Amino acid sequence: MAPDTLLVAIAVAAAAAAARFFALPLLRKKTTQIGRGESFRPPPSPPGLPILGNLLALGTLPHQTLRKLAEAYGTVMGIKLGFVRVVMVSSFAAAQKFLREPAFTNRPGGDVTVYLTYGQQKGVLASEYGDTWRESRNLCLSHMLSTRKIQAFRGVRNEKIQRLLGSLKKAAEGSHKPVDLSEALASMSMAIVCRILFGKVHGDEATIQKTVREATQLAGVFNINDYLPFIGFLDLNGVRRRMKAVRRVYDSLFEEVIDKYCRSLNEGVKVEDSVIASILSSMGTQYDRVNLKAILMDTITAGSDSSAITVEWTLSELLTHPRVMRKLQQELEEAVGMDRMVEEEDLPKLPYLEMVIKESMRLHPVIPLIPRQAREDCVIGGFQFEKGSQVVVNLWAMGRDPNEWVNPDAFYPERFEGSSGGAEDRDGLEPGFLPFGAGNRRCPGMQMGLTTVRFVVAQLVHCFDWELPGELDMSEKFGLSLARAKNLLAVPTYRLRPGS
Ligand code: HEM
């Protein structure tokens, strides 16, 4: 939650005292109800403040606070955020049940849905489970995320990664100064996603990147407007205002690009392969413009930062674990040799790389908290949920659960030795490990995300030795995506044979 919460709370306490009398009966109907049936009990809950409940206790790193609370109150625990009750789940066994439960296939509404997406009837990310969601998800899969499309966009990935390697090589030949890897990875990832979505017809990538960062930051905020809706119109923390600004930037970008493509297609001008071109030419005049904008917004928000952040954390762990770095470099030397860079075909020959990436995603899940909402009444694990109940699965806590993992805080890729294959096996499942979620709403971009992450990590580790300028701060910055709090800086030295 934003640090301004205390100020907000003071204002809220005063407003709430008055509002309570009028608003409470109305709000109670909307509030999540747990354990209402006689034979059902509610999950244990930590005590909270009147009105605000546990909102203030979440702090700036809610995933960590919630893990601590779960140690005391259990891995299925109720918390109260203003007037909304939310069930927090932090064990693998319980997470499986909730994420795979057909009733828990909606996302909660609130400001994010209203201002940061095109609503619950459009797109994928925030869309209500049903026909529109299914059609939009299928459009994403067939025009962007299928195995065939991932192969088709391989040239794009290669071109953008080569550009990054070229600039790093230049830096390595130069003054032995640290490069900002966080920035470089974010730009590269954004360039890949923009090129795939929009072709060459798009605006300034730096502005889009800033907008995506702001969107993922805002989407992760425990937003007081959602939990105390009767004061939402005051927008005390300014979140709504910032969300509207993000939506405006996105919307004008999408309008411009769609217009350009429509003109080209109408005039019979050949356009390069891109998601927009592909959707527009397959649907002709039948396409729903708002739905197309929603799909673009969802994929750019969910798809660009996620891969960059995963690579960043993986490199951070490798740089602070020289034994693992050396072992991975050895694997690359044997599989690829020192005379050339890595190619995508090399990836299946790199089992240790796979273990390293899994271990990094276990400790640093890009999406630390997965939100879901019940679309009908259901009973799970002895608890009863009414339609509209909210559940949040804490992937970060699951990855560090001592009941699932030996020495859970240690970075030790060998723990995955002998596991059945890639992290995408069985819905992205390894015991205790769900980095892409599960069930009907699991991540549709898993294969594309993993392909990029594997390829970039392999190249950076194979082509360069890395040196940290000082001790590496591993603090996190909470948002919809869990990024590094401080950018990753490191000094590269080119390690392939000259001329390669
Ligand atoms: C390393 C990379 C990635 C990670 C770790 C990741 C993780 C996740 C997770 C945990 C969810 C929530 C799943 C659930 O509710 O069970 C999700 C949803 C989603 N992801 Fe990803 N993701 C990645 C890359 C991508 C990419 C590249 C795209 C597309 C370009 C993408 C598009 C989406 C979409 C559209 C959803 C919403 C699915 C729905 O609600 O039906 N993701 N992702």
Side-chain angles (χ1 to χ4, degrees):
M1 184 168 40
D4 57 355
T5 317
L6 200 60
L7 276 178
V8 173
I10 295 165
V12 164
R20 197 175 175 196
F21 179 70
F22 302 103
L24 212 52
L26 180 78
L27 288 165
R28 265 200 191 124
K29 275 196 192 139
K30 293 183 185 165
T31 304
T32 306
Q33 298 289 328
I34 306 156
R36 270 187 159 184
E38 273 175 33
S39 56
F40 296 105
R41 68 212 143 81
S45 309
L49 296 171
I51 301 169
L52 293 169
N54 307 104
L55 206 47
L56 291 186
L58 294 178
T60 52
L61 296 170
H63 57 298
Q64 297 195 14
T65 310
L66 290 164
R67 180 203 186 190
K68 281 201 194 97
L69 285 173
E71 279 163 15
Y73 294 92
T75 53
V76 178
M77 158 185 88
I79 62 166
K80 201 171 149 272
L81 302 175
F83 290 105
V84 180
R85 287 182 191 282
V86 180
V87 172
M88 300 301 312
V89 172
S90 37
S91 77
F92 174 65
Q96 286 250 64
K97 286 196 186 123
F98 281 92
L99 293 178
R100 291 179 180 282
E101 164 61 48
F104 264 104
T105 41
N106 273 349
R107 305 259 182 227
D111 276 3
V112 171
T113 309
V114 178
Y115 302 108
L116 270 191
T117 74
Y118 287 85
Q120 286 183 302
Q121 302 308 322
K122 301 285 176 193
V124 189
L125 214 51
S127 188
E128 265 179 19
Y129 185 82
D131 288 345
T132 312
W133 164 79
R134 202 168 290 107
E135 279 161 28
S136 306
R137 196 174 153 110
N138 285 340
L139 277 177
C140 289
L141 285 166
S142 55
H143 295 277
M144 181 180 191
L145 304 171
S146 65
T147 310
R148 196 175 62 78
K149 279 287 172 187
I150 291 171
Q151 273 301 317
F153 288 120
R154 178 197 172 122
V156 173
R157 275 191 301 280
N158 215 15
E159 179 200 322
K160 306 295 178 196
I161 293 172
Q162 288 303 332
R163 188 182 295 175
L164 169 69
L165 295 176
S167 71
L168 292 174
K169 203 172 165 192
K170 224 181 232 166
E173 285 156 7
S175 55
H176 207 69
K177 277 198 188 134
V179 291
D180 187 337
L181 269 171
S182 302
E183 207 42 57
L185 289 167
S187 312
M188 183 210 56
S189 192
M190 178 56 65
I192 294 177
V193 172
C194 281
R195 170 62 187 79
I196 289 175
L197 286 175
F198 310 130
K200 290 180 186 148
V201 192
H202 62 79
D204 169 26
E205 272 165 20
T207 309
I208 306 176
Q209 191 177 316
K210 227 172 88 199
T211 311
V212 169
R213 278 276 152 96
E214 172 82 342
T216 49
Q217 200 61 42
L218 289 170
V221 167
F222 276 82
N223 182 2
I224 206 150
N225 298 342
D226 292 340
Y227 301 117
L228 298 170
F230 59 86
I231 54 149
F233 71 96
L234 295 172
D235 192 23
L236 288 169
N237 52 8
V239 164
R240 252 179 217 181
R241 182 181 42 76
R242 286 168 61 198
M243 286 180 176
K244 285 181 188 169
V246 165
R247 237 301 270 284
R248 272 197 301 276
V249 176
Y250 269 144
D251 197 71
S252 63
L253 165 75
F254 300 150
E255 285 289 339
E256 195 185 324
V257 181
I258 295 172
D259 279 348
K260 275 190 189 162
Y261 267 102
C262 286
R263 268 200 308 276
S264 303
L265 290 169
N266 287 340
E267 289 160 9
V269 177
K270 193 173 164 6
V271 290
E272 70 272 13
D273 195 12
S274 69
V275 173
I276 291 201
S278 170
I279 294 182
L280 286 175
S281 36
S282 74
M283 301 186 89
T285 51
Q286 298 302 305
Y287 78 98
D288 171 344
R289 194 173 176 103
V290 180
N291 199 39
L292 177 55
K293 290 196 286 184
I295 289 173
L296 294 174
M297 188 155 168
D298 291 347
T299 42
I300 205 167
T301 304
S304 53
D305 254 7
S306 46
S307 307
I309 289 173
T310 307
V311 175
E312 233 184 310
W313 281 118
T314 308
L315 288 175
S316 305
E317 291 292 359
L318 286 169
L319 283 164
T320 46
H321 294 86
R323 175 195 73 80
V324 181
M325 175 69 106
R326 190 68 215 122
K327 191 166 165 183
L328 182 54
Q329 285 183 327
Q330 258 162 19
E331 178 175 83
L332 283 153
E333 275 169 45
E334 279 159 29
V336 181
M338 297 302 281
D339 294 319
R340 66 168 176 93
M341 293 181 175
V342 184
E343 290 177 9
E344 276 191 23
E345 296 81 33
D346 296 317
L347 297 177
K349 296 182 276 178
L350 302 169
Y352 194 60
L353 172 71
E354 202 59 43
M355 292 182 223
V356 166
I357 291 170
K358 278 181 189 170
E359 181 66 338
S360 170
M361 289 200 293
R362 176 183 72 82
L363 289 171
H364 309 285
V366 175
I367 299 186
L369 302 177
I370 301 184
R372 294 279 189 92
Q373 188 170 42
R375 62 192 170 92
E376 55 196 35
D377 296 354
C378 61
V379 174
I380 303 177
F383 300 119
Q384 186 187 42
F385 299 89
E386 281 191 344
K387 179 178 174 178
S389 301
Q390 291 187 27
V391 67
V392 171
V393 172
N394 190 341
L395 288 191
W396 190 88
M398 278 163 54
R400 295 170 188 248
D401 181 353
N403 297 315
E404 290 285 345
W405 308 98
V406 179
N407 202 358
D409 292 330
F411 181 75
Y412 186 65
E414 285 76 1
R415 70 174 79 240
F416 290 108
E417 204 127 49
S419 71
S420 50
E424 69 271 43
D425 289 350
R426 295 160 50 227
D427 284 0
L429 283 177
E430 286 296 328
F433 178 59
L434 293 163
F436 295 94
N440 288 341
R441 293 209 75 146
R442 74 185 170 134
C443 177
M446 178 171 74
Q447 213 194 329
M448 176 170 157
L450 280 175
T451 306
T452 309
V453 170
R454 288 172 184 140
F455 193 33
V456 179
V457 172
Q459 293 285 29
L460 293 178
V461 168
H462 185 52
C463 298
F464 300 95
D465 283 317
W466 295 94
E467 202 185 309
L468 287 169
E471 205 179 319
L472 188 61
D473 182 342
M474 294 288 275
S475 320
E476 302 165 326
K477 184 169 167 199
F478 182 80
L480 177 68
S481 319
L482 191 62
R484 288 181 50 81
K486 295 202 175 126
N487 282 10
L488 174 62
L489 308 180
V491 182
T493 307
Y494 195 63
R495 65 187 286 273
L496 298 188
R497 293 210 178 92
S500 30

